[in-house]
Amino acid sequence: MDLREVLQEELGLNKVDAAVAASHAPGLLPQALPADVAERVVQAIGRIGLRAIAVPAESLPDLDAAERVHHLRCGESGLELCNLAGAVDRCWPWEQLKLISVGRVPLETLRHYVTDTVLHANPVPPDPYLPGGALHGYEGWLLFEPPLRVLRIDSEHLNYEYLGAEKTTSGTANFERLIAELSIRAPHAFLPPATRKYLTRGPVLEYDFASSEKLQEYTLTEYLLSRQAS
């Protein structure tokens, strides 16, 4: 019996829905379950040689509520978050940084404009555009606790002024320097496999995600695994 068959039997799912649920492994099942049902499914999964745990929904961090930051600095005592004026208004201690999750994701879609507009006396109509491919970059999720706080950053929308003379014109290179420094400043922080491959410049496929949502799901799974490991 495989995982799909276990889910089909224990949850009363049809083959298609069971296959969709099983495709999330390793990860969270897409549906919430009553506590007794969850424990029964965990035991059934264990009988086929796999490991699963039941996690109370209230213990899951809400990554959708993550704070997007665009300007930060690595200070001696912690990660400094800057306001729009560039002044530090918060500092989160390094010892509270528990997880650093990084992946390559499509950040936005390129548009190719058809610029054949000529001079008009009336308001100029907008130029049509052709959709292009996605612009890829690197996204990071930083989890601090206690209390639980989540930051979301990406390589193309960060102010890297704190790097000083080491700052380059490449957002990708600057982001790599930042993540490397975070891992040094917080050596206790959990680094998921994708982050470790990124930092060691492993194959891109090892840390490439189809979307930011997929990286978010992965980050949540790795957070739960890190809690089990600790």
Side-chain angles (χ1 to χ4, degrees):
M1 180 176 287
D2 61 18
L3 180 58
R4 177 188 58 79
E5 292 171 322
V6 168
L7 297 178
Q8 186 177 352
E9 180 176 305
E10 296 295 332
L11 300 179
L13 302 175
N14 60 45
K15 289 184 178 181
V16 174
D17 289 341
V20 170
S23 70
H24 285 260
L28 274 68
L29 289 178
Q31 63 269 74
L33 303 172
D36 59 331
V37 175
E39 288 296 342
R40 190 182 72 232
V41 173
V42 165
Q43 294 175 14
I45 291 175
R47 287 194 291 272
I48 63 170
L50 302 177
R51 185 169 183 268
I53 58 172
V55 180
E58 60 272 15
S59 70
L60 296 176
D62 183 10
L63 297 191
D64 287 332
E67 179 182 354
R68 279 186 174 272
V69 290
H70 302 289
H71 194 175
L72 45 77
R73 299 178 183 135
C74 292
E76 289 301 318
S77 59
L79 186 65
E80 299 173 348
L81 280 64
C82 302
N83 57 28
L84 293 177
V88 176
D89 60 8
R90 285 168 292 164
C91 181
W92 293 358
W94 292 121
E95 60 268 22
Q96 293 179 1
L97 178 53
K98 302 301 184 184
L99 181 142
I100 304 171
S101 180
V102 175
R104 179 179 181 269
V105 299
L107 294 177
E108 55 193 64
T109 301
L110 296 175
R111 291 182 173 186
H112 303 289
Y113 285 87
V114 182
T115 55
D116 59 353
T117 302
V118 296
L119 184 63
H120 288 267
N122 295 322
V124 178
D127 286 328
Y129 66 86
L130 301 174
L135 173 65
H136 285 76
Y138 293 91
E139 186 172 83
W141 294 77
L142 311 177
L143 276 70
F144 290 75
E145 62 181 359
L148 180 65
R149 291 150 296 166
V150 186
L151 296 180
R152 183 177 177 181
I153 56 179
D154 75 66
S155 60
E156 304 309 307
H157 299 94
L158 268 181
N159 185 328
Y160 298 102
E161 57 82 20
Y162 94 94
L163 290 174
E166 294 184 350
K167 178 184 174 183
T168 73
T169 57
S170 168
T172 298
N174 293 332
F175 192 77
E176 184 179 341
R177 288 176 181 269
L178 169 63
I179 298 301
E181 183 167 358
L182 292 177
S183 67
I184 293 172
R185 297 274 190 175
H188 56 277
F190 182 77
L191 303 180
T195 303
R196 294 197 295 270
K197 289 294 184 181
Y198 167 75
L199 286 173
T200 56
R201 299 185 178 179
V204 174
L205 288 177
E206 300 281 354
Y207 48 88
D208 192 53
F209 293 83
S211 65
S212 179
E213 290 74 22
K214 290 297 183 183
L215 175 57
Q216 181 176 334
E217 292 175 11
Y218 175 81
T219 299
L220 180 56
T221 299
E222 292 296 322
Y223 169 76
L224 294 174
L225 289 174
S226 71
R227 289 180 59 186
Q228 289 295 307
S230 62

Coordinates of all heavy atoms in Angstrom, one line a residue, residues 126-170:
P126 N -2.7 54.2 -24.7 CA -1.6 53.4 -24.1 C -1.1 52.5 -25.2 O -1.8 51.9 -26.0 CB -2.3 52.6 -23.0 CG -3.7 52.5 -23.3 CD -4.0 53.8 -24.0
D127 N 0.3 52.3 -25.2 CA 0.9 51.4 -26.1 C 0.6 49.9 -25.7 O 0.6 49.6 -24.5 CB 2.4 51.5 -26.1 CG 2.9 52.8 -26.8 OD1 2.2 53.2 -27.8 OD2 3.9 53.4 -26.4
P128 N 0.3 49.1 -26.7 CA 0.0 47.7 -26.3 C 1.3 47.0 -25.9 O 2.4 47.5 -26.3 CB -0.5 47.1 -27.7 CG 0.1 48.0 -28.7 CD 0.1 49.4 -28.1
Y129 N 1.2 45.9 -25.2 CA 2.4 45.2 -24.8 C 2.2 43.7 -25.1 O 1.1 43.2 -25.1 CB 2.8 45.5 -23.4 CG 1.8 44.9 -22.4 CD1 1.9 43.6 -21.9 CD2 0.8 45.8 -21.9 CE1 1.0 43.1 -21.0 CE2 -0.1 45.3 -21.0 CZ 0.0 43.9 -20.5 OH -0.9 43.4 -19.7
L130 N 3.3 43.1 -25.2 CA 3.3 41.6 -25.4 C 3.9 41.0 -24.1 O 4.9 41.4 -23.6 CB 4.2 41.2 -26.6 CG 3.8 41.8 -27.9 CD1 4.8 41.4 -29.0 CD2 2.4 41.3 -28.3
P131 N 3.2 40.0 -23.5 CA 3.7 39.4 -22.3 C 4.9 38.6 -22.6 O 5.1 38.0 -23.6 CB 2.5 38.5 -21.9 CG 1.8 38.2 -23.2 CD 1.9 39.5 -24.0
G132 N 5.9 38.8 -21.7 CA 7.2 38.0 -21.9 C 7.3 37.0 -20.8 O 6.4 36.6 -20.1
G133 N 8.5 36.5 -20.7 CA 8.8 35.5 -19.6 C 8.9 36.2 -18.3 O 8.9 37.4 -18.1
A134 N 9.0 35.3 -17.3 CA 9.1 35.8 -15.9 C 10.5 36.2 -15.6 O 11.5 35.6 -16.0 CB 8.6 34.7 -14.9
L135 N 10.7 37.3 -14.8 CA 11.9 37.8 -14.3 C 12.2 37.0 -13.0 O 11.4 37.1 -12.0 CB 11.9 39.3 -14.0 CG 13.2 39.8 -13.3 CD1 14.4 39.7 -14.2 CD2 12.9 41.3 -12.9
H136 N 13.2 36.2 -12.9 CA 13.5 35.4 -11.8 C 14.5 36.1 -10.8 O 15.3 36.9 -11.3 CB 14.1 34.0 -12.1 CG 13.1 33.1 -12.7 ND1 12.6 33.2 -14.0 CD2 12.5 32.0 -12.1 CE1 11.7 32.2 -14.2 NE2 11.6 31.5 -13.1
G137 N 14.3 35.9 -9.6 CA 15.2 36.4 -8.6 C 15.2 35.5 -7.3 O 14.7 34.4 -7.4
Y138 N 15.8 36.0 -6.3 CA 15.9 35.2 -5.1 C 15.0 35.8 -3.9 O 15.0 37.0 -3.7 CB 17.3 35.0 -4.6 CG 18.1 34.3 -5.6 CD1 18.8 34.9 -6.7 CD2 18.2 32.9 -5.6 CE1 19.4 34.2 -7.7 CE2 18.9 32.1 -6.6 CZ 19.5 32.8 -7.6 OH 20.2 32.1 -8.5
E139 N 14.3 34.9 -3.3 CA 13.4 35.3 -2.2 C 13.9 34.6 -0.9 O 14.3 33.5 -0.9 CB 12.0 34.9 -2.5 CG 11.0 35.5 -1.5 CD 9.5 35.2 -2.0 OE1 9.0 34.1 -1.8 OE2 9.0 36.1 -2.6
G140 N 13.8 35.4 0.2 CA 14.2 34.8 1.5 C 13.1 35.0 2.5 O 12.3 36.0 2.5
W141 N 12.9 34.0 3.4 CA 12.0 34.0 4.5 C 12.8 33.9 5.8 O 13.6 32.9 5.9 CB 11.0 32.9 4.4 CG 10.0 33.1 3.2 CD1 10.3 32.8 1.9 CD2 8.7 33.5 3.3 NE1 9.2 33.0 1.1 CE2 8.2 33.5 1.9 CE3 7.8 33.9 4.3 CZ2 6.9 33.8 1.6 CZ3 6.5 34.3 3.9 CH2 6.1 34.3 2.6
L142 N 12.7 34.8 6.7 CA 13.4 34.8 8.0 C 12.4 34.7 9.1 O 11.6 35.6 9.3 CB 14.3 36.1 8.1 CG 15.1 36.5 6.9 CD1 15.8 37.8 7.2 CD2 16.1 35.4 6.6
L143 N 12.6 33.6 9.9 CA 11.7 33.4 11.0 C 12.4 33.6 12.3 O 13.4 33.0 12.6 CB 11.1 32.0 11.0 CG 9.8 31.8 10.1 CD1 10.2 31.9 8.6 CD2 9.2 30.4 10.4
F144 N 11.8 34.5 13.1 CA 12.4 34.8 14.5 C 11.4 34.3 15.5 O 10.2 34.4 15.3 CB 12.5 36.3 14.6 CG 13.6 37.0 13.8 CD1 13.5 37.1 12.4 CD2 14.8 37.4 14.4 CE1 14.5 37.7 11.7 CE2 15.8 37.9 13.6 CZ 15.7 38.1 12.3
E145 N 11.9 33.9 16.7 CA 11.1 33.6 17.8 C 12.0 33.4 19.1 O 13.2 33.1 18.9 CB 10.2 32.3 17.6 CG 11.0 31.1 17.3 CD 10.0 29.9 17.1 OE1 8.8 30.1 17.1 OE2 10.6 28.8 16.8
P146 N 11.4 33.6 20.3 CA 10.0 34.1 20.5 C 10.1 35.6 20.6 O 11.1 36.2 20.9 CB 9.7 33.5 21.9 CG 11.0 33.4 22.6 CD 12.0 33.1 21.5
P147 N 9.0 36.3 20.4 CA 7.8 35.8 19.8 C 8.0 35.5 18.3 O 8.9 36.0 17.7 CB 6.7 36.9 20.0 CG 7.6 38.2 20.0 CD 8.9 37.8 20.6
L148 N 7.1 34.8 17.7 CA 7.2 34.4 16.3 C 7.0 35.7 15.4 O 5.9 36.3 15.5 CB 6.2 33.3 15.9 CG 6.3 32.9 14.4 CD1 7.6 32.2 14.1 CD2 5.2 31.9 14.1
R149 N 8.0 36.0 14.6 CA 7.9 37.1 13.6 C 8.5 36.6 12.3 O 9.5 35.9 12.3 CB 8.6 38.3 14.1 CG 8.0 39.0 15.3 CD 9.0 39.7 16.2 NE 9.9 38.7 16.7 CZ 11.1 39.0 17.3 NH1 11.5 40.3 17.4 NH2 11.9 38.1 17.8
V150 N 7.9 37.0 11.2 CA 8.4 36.5 9.9 C 8.7 37.7 9.0 O 7.9 38.6 8.8 CB 7.3 35.6 9.2 CG1 7.9 35.0 7.9 CG2 6.9 34.5 10.2
L151 N 9.9 37.7 8.4 CA 10.2 38.7 7.4 C 10.3 38.0 6.0 O 10.8 36.9 5.9 CB 11.6 39.3 7.7 CG 11.7 40.1 9.0 CD1 13.1 40.7 9.2 CD2 10.7 41.3 9.0
R152 N 10.0 38.8 5.0 CA 10.1 38.3 3.6 C 10.9 39.3 2.8 O 10.5 40.5 2.8 CB 8.7 38.1 3.1 CG 8.6 37.6 1.6 CD 7.1 37.4 1.3 NE 6.9 36.9 -0.1 CZ 5.7 36.7 -0.6 NH1 4.6 37.0 0.1 NH2 5.6 36.3 -1.9
I153 N 11.9 38.9 2.1 CA 12.7 39.8 1.4 C 13.0 39.2 0.0 O 12.8 38.0 -0.2 CB 14.1 40.0 2.1 CG1 14.8 38.7 2.3 CG2 13.9 40.8 3.4 CD1 16.2 38.8 3.0
D154 N 13.3 40.0 -1.0 CA 13.7 39.5 -2.3 C 14.9 40.3 -2.8 O 15.2 41.4 -2.4 CB 12.6 39.4 -3.3 CG 12.2 40.8 -3.8 OD1 13.0 41.4 -4.6 OD2 11.0 41.2 -3.5
S155 N 15.6 39.6 -3.7 CA 16.9 40.2 -4.2 C 16.8 41.5 -5.0 O 17.8 42.3 -5.0 CB 17.7 39.1 -5.0 OG 16.9 38.8 -6.2
E156 N 15.7 41.7 -5.6 CA 15.6 42.9 -6.5 C 15.0 44.1 -5.8 O 14.9 45.1 -6.5 CB 14.8 42.5 -7.7 CG 15.3 41.3 -8.5 CD 16.8 41.4 -8.8 OE1 17.2 42.4 -9.4 OE2 17.6 40.5 -8.5
H157 N 14.5 44.0 -4.6 CA 13.8 45.1 -4.0 C 14.4 45.4 -2.6 O 13.7 45.8 -1.7 CB 12.3 44.8 -3.9 CG 11.7 44.7 -5.2 ND1 11.5 43.4 -5.8 CD2 11.2 45.6 -6.1 CE1 10.9 43.6 -7.0 NE2 10.7 44.8 -7.2
L158 N 15.7 45.2 -2.4 CA 16.3 45.5 -1.2 C 17.3 46.6 -1.3 O 18.0 46.7 -2.4 CB 17.1 44.2 -0.6 CG 16.3 43.3 0.3 CD1 17.3 42.1 0.7 CD2 15.8 44.0 1.5
N159 N 17.4 47.4 -0.3 CA 18.5 48.5 -0.2 C 19.7 47.8 0.5 O 19.7 47.5 1.6 CB 18.0 49.7 0.6 CG 18.9 50.8 0.6 OD1 20.1 50.6 0.5 ND2 18.4 52.0 0.7
Y160 N 20.8 47.8 -0.3 CA 22.0 47.1 0.2 C 23.1 48.1 0.7 O 24.3 47.8 0.7 CB 22.6 46.2 -0.9 CG 21.7 45.1 -1.3 CD1 21.0 45.2 -2.5 CD2 21.6 43.9 -0.6 CE1 20.1 44.1 -3.0 CE2 20.8 42.9 -1.0 CZ 20.0 43.0 -2.2 OH 19.2 41.9 -2.6
E161 N 22.7 49.3 1.1 CA 23.7 50.3 1.4 C 24.6 49.9 2.5 O 25.8 50.3 2.5 CB 23.0 51.6 1.7 CG 22.0 51.6 2.9 CD 22.6 51.7 4.3 OE1 23.8 52.1 4.3 OE2 22.0 51.3 5.2
Y162 N 24.2 49.0 3.4 CA 25.0 48.6 4.5 C 26.3 47.9 4.1 O 27.3 47.8 4.8 CB 24.2 47.8 5.5 CG 24.3 46.3 5.4 CD1 25.3 45.6 6.1 CD2 23.5 45.6 4.5 CE1 25.4 44.2 5.9 CE2 23.6 44.3 4.3 CZ 24.6 43.6 5.0 OH 24.7 42.2 4.9
L163 N 26.2 47.3 2.8 CA 27.4 46.6 2.4 C 28.6 47.5 2.1 O 29.7 47.0 2.0 CB 27.0 45.8 1.1 CG 26.1 44.6 1.3 CD1 25.7 44.0 -0.1 CD2 26.7 43.5 2.1
G164 N 28.3 48.8 1.9 CA 29.4 49.7 1.7 C 30.2 49.4 0.4 O 29.6 49.3 -0.6
A165 N 31.5 49.3 0.6 CA 32.4 49.1 -0.6 C 32.2 47.8 -1.2 O 32.5 47.6 -2.4 CB 33.9 49.3 -0.2
E166 N 31.6 46.8 -0.5 CA 31.3 45.5 -1.0 C 30.1 45.4 -1.9 O 29.8 44.4 -2.6 CB 31.3 44.5 0.1 CG 32.6 44.3 0.9 CD 32.5 43.2 1.9 OE1 31.3 42.7 2.2 OE2 33.5 42.8 2.5
K167 N 29.3 46.5 -1.9 CA 28.1 46.5 -2.7 C 28.4 46.5 -4.2 O 29.3 47.2 -4.6 CB 27.2 47.7 -2.3 CG 25.9 47.9 -3.1 CD 25.2 49.1 -2.7 CE 24.0 49.4 -3.6 NZ 23.3 50.7 -3.3
T168 N 27.7 45.7 -4.9 CA 27.9 45.7 -6.4 C 26.6 46.2 -7.1 O 25.6 46.5 -6.4 CB 28.2 44.3 -6.9 OG1 27.0 43.5 -6.8 CG2 29.3 43.6 -6.0
T169 N 26.6 46.2 -8.4 CA 25.4 46.6 -9.1 C 24.5 45.5 -9.3 O 23.4 45.6 -9.9 CB 25.8 47.2 -10.5 OG1 26.6 46.2 -11.2 CG2 26.7 48.4 -10.3
S170 N 24.8 44.3 -8.9 CA 24.0 43.1 -9.0 C 23.2 42.8 -7.8 O 23.8 42.5 -6.7 CB 24.9 41.9 -9.4 OG 24.2 40.7 -9.3

